[in-house]
């Protein structure tokens, strides 16, 4: 493969400088329960080829003071539709933005992306982030 055809450092960070809208929240009234939000029709774009990526995003978290407002979250997720960004970065960016909005007790974002070229990808991003990056936490979803 010629060097000009390879992925670059610019591809690796593509989409991360996008100005995502803030996710709105509402006051939580209870303690000790989990919320699972499922977006089965998530779409984004490969930053190198421009080809569409299709997948399912699951956000699972235990709220502290506030919960995610779903219409606001839907509008936030819609921003990815035409955004060139790697699947791994999608899950980590969503996790960062959900944590920023809600400061949950814990949170997990799972991206289950459909096959393209015969390969599918599943990405898990978790908060709190493991202190030991070699530690493999159990999957909650």
């Amino acid at each position: 493969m010629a060097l000009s055809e390879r992925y670059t450092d610019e591809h690796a960070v593509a989409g991360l400088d996008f100005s995502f809208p803030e996710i709105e929240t509402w006051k939580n009234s209870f303690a000790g329960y989990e919320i699972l939000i499922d977006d089965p029709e998530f779409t984004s774009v490969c930053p190198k080829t421009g080809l569409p990526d299709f997948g399912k995003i699951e956000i699972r978290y235990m709220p502290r003071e506030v919960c995610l407002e779903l219409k606001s979250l839907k509008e936030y997720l819609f921003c990815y539709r035409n955004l060139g960004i790697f699947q791994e970065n999608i899950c980590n960016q969503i996790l960062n933005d959900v944590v920023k909005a809600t400061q949950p007790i814990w949170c997990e974002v799972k991206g289950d992306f459909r096959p393209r070229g015969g390969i599918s990808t599943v990405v898990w991003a978790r908060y709190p982030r493991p202190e030991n990056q070699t530690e493999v936490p159990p999957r909650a979803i």
Side-chain angles (χ1 to χ4, degrees):
M1 178 182 293
L3 286 179
S4 64
E5 296 175 9
R6 294 187 179 200
Y7 288 91
T8 66
D9 291 342
E10 288 77 29
H11 293 124
V13 296
L16 296 178
D17 61 350
F18 184 80
S19 182
F20 292 98
E22 283 190 36
I23 304 169
E24 295 179 36
T25 61
W26 54 274
K27 188 174 178 355
N28 182 28
S29 300
F30 297 95
Y33 68 100
E34 300 175 20
I35 298 172
L36 173 62
I37 300 167
D38 176 13
D39 179 356
E41 298 177 340
F42 182 86
T43 59
S44 62
V45 176
C46 173
K48 182 172 190 313
T49 65
L51 294 172
D53 285 324
F54 302 96
K56 176 179 179 178
I57 297 290
E58 293 180 357
I59 301 168
R60 183 171 173 247
Y61 71 105
M62 183 173 283
R64 195 179 303 273
E65 301 291 325
V66 296
C67 298
L68 294 170
E69 195 279 319
L70 295 181
K71 182 176 184 224
S72 172
L73 180 64
K74 185 185 318 182
E75 292 169 351
Y76 166 85
L77 292 172
F78 191 72
C79 290
Y80 287 90
R81 183 174 179 90
N82 295 312
L83 183 64
I85 184 170
F86 283 133
Q87 297 164 349
E88 296 83 354
N89 290 349
I90 291 167
C91 294
N92 282 284
Q93 183 67 50
I94 292 171
L95 177 70
N96 287 349
D97 291 339
V98 167
V99 168
K100 180 181 173 187
T102 65
Q103 294 300 308
I105 294 169
W106 57 262
C107 182
E108 181 172 83
V109 175
K110 176 184 174 186
D112 187 351
F113 298 93
R114 302 290 63 116
R116 187 152 47 87
I119 296 177
S120 62
T121 305
V122 179
V123 179
W124 284 270
R126 296 180 184 87
Y127 170 84
R129 302 264 187 190
E131 290 181 29
N132 176 356
Q133 294 300 311
T134 60
E135 177 182 313
V136 180
R139 280 187 234 121
I141 294 179

